[in-house]
Amino acid sequence: EVQLQASGGGLVQAGGSLRLSCTVSGFTFDDYAFGWFRQAPGKEREGVSCTGSGGGRTVYADSVKGRFTASRDNAKNTVYLQMNSLKPEDTAVYYCAAGRPPAGSAGYRGSYHYWGQGTEVTVSS
């Protein structure tokens, strides 16, 4: 059974930090790229980051560059999203996803096969 278990969300003040985790089982972790997406109330789900398979590089949405860092630990089948300097506009449900996105499509939902259940992040002003 494929499972992506996201955790680490919560309530934080603006300027604070959170680290999200996503632990994976049921498929070969090393073979997949992992994306983080978020969906704010009333908005479309948007891509935040994508980390390539193995030691692949990470790409970020412009809105989070310099503040968020995505990483993966292949030994633990876990991916992380370190979020610093959080802003109220970062408030959303955050999802991890696994897939093999073609070049140029890392930010598209349809590029990912498997999804976690989401973890809620609320940033107060």
Side-chain angles (χ1 to χ4, degrees):
E1 180 185 4
V2 171
Q3 288 191 333
L4 288 82
Q5 186 69 41
S7 61
L11 174 63
V12 64
Q13 288 188 330
S17 298
L18 283 174
R19 189 176 82 154
L20 306 183
S21 300
C22 177
T23 301
V24 170
S25 61
F27 59 95
T28 305
F29 184 86
D30 294 4
D31 290 348
Y32 284 80
F34 286 88
W36 286 97
F37 286 73
R38 66 186 182 185
Q39 188 165 14
K43 294 188 177 181
E44 294 288 320
R45 193 172 298 188
E46 63 174 357
V48 173
S49 69
C50 177
T51 300
S53 59
R57 67 187 183 98
T58 300
V59 294
Y60 297 94
D62 288 343
S63 58
V64 306
K65 280 181 182 175
R67 300 188 298 121
F68 290 11
T69 303
S71 61
R72 60 188 293 160
D73 185 335
N74 289 353
K76 295 183 177 179
N77 281 13
T78 301
V79 294
Y80 304 97
L81 184 67
Q82 177 67 45
M83 305 186 295
N84 299 329
S85 302
L86 282 161
K87 304 175 181 180
E89 51 263 44
D90 295 318
T91 294
V93 177
Y94 284 72
Y95 300 87
C96 57
R100 297 187 176 113
S105 66
Y108 294 96
R109 295 177 58 178
S111 297
Y112 296 84
H113 302 94
Y114 306 123
W115 289 84
Q117 86 287 2
T119 184
E120 189 168 2
V121 172
T122 302
V123 184
S124 63
S125 57

PDB file of all heavy atoms in Angstrom, residues 9 95 104:
ATOM      1  N   GLY A   9       2.953  20.387  10.529  1.00  0.00           N
ATOM      2  CA  GLY A   9       2.229  21.649  10.423  1.00  0.00           C
ATOM      3  C   GLY A   9       1.825  22.178  11.784  1.00  0.00           C
ATOM      4  O   GLY A   9       1.959  21.501  12.807  1.00  0.00           O
ATOM      5  N   TYR A  95       0.998  19.733   1.015  1.00  0.00           N
ATOM      6  CA  TYR A  95       0.948  18.350   0.578  1.00  0.00           C
ATOM      7  C   TYR A  95       2.293  17.917   0.021  1.00  0.00           C
ATOM      8  O   TYR A  95       2.936  18.692  -0.699  1.00  0.00           O
ATOM      9  CB  TYR A  95      -0.089  18.169  -0.527  1.00  0.00           C
ATOM     10  CG  TYR A  95      -1.499  18.518  -0.144  1.00  0.00           C
ATOM     11  CD1 TYR A  95      -1.969  19.823  -0.256  1.00  0.00           C
ATOM     12  CD2 TYR A  95      -2.368  17.535   0.316  1.00  0.00           C
ATOM     13  CE1 TYR A  95      -3.271  20.145   0.089  1.00  0.00           C
ATOM     14  CE2 TYR A  95      -3.683  17.848   0.655  1.00  0.00           C
ATOM     15  CZ  TYR A  95      -4.114  19.156   0.542  1.00  0.00           C
ATOM     16  OH  TYR A  95      -5.416  19.472   0.887  1.00  0.00           O
ATOM     17  N   GLY A 104      10.479  20.702 -16.892  1.00  0.00           N
ATOM     18  CA  GLY A 104       9.614  21.851 -17.032  1.00  0.00           C
ATOM     19  C   GLY A 104       8.242  21.694 -16.436  1.00  0.00           C
ATOM     20  O   GLY A 104       7.434  22.633 -16.483  1.00  0.00           O
TER      21      GLY A 104
END
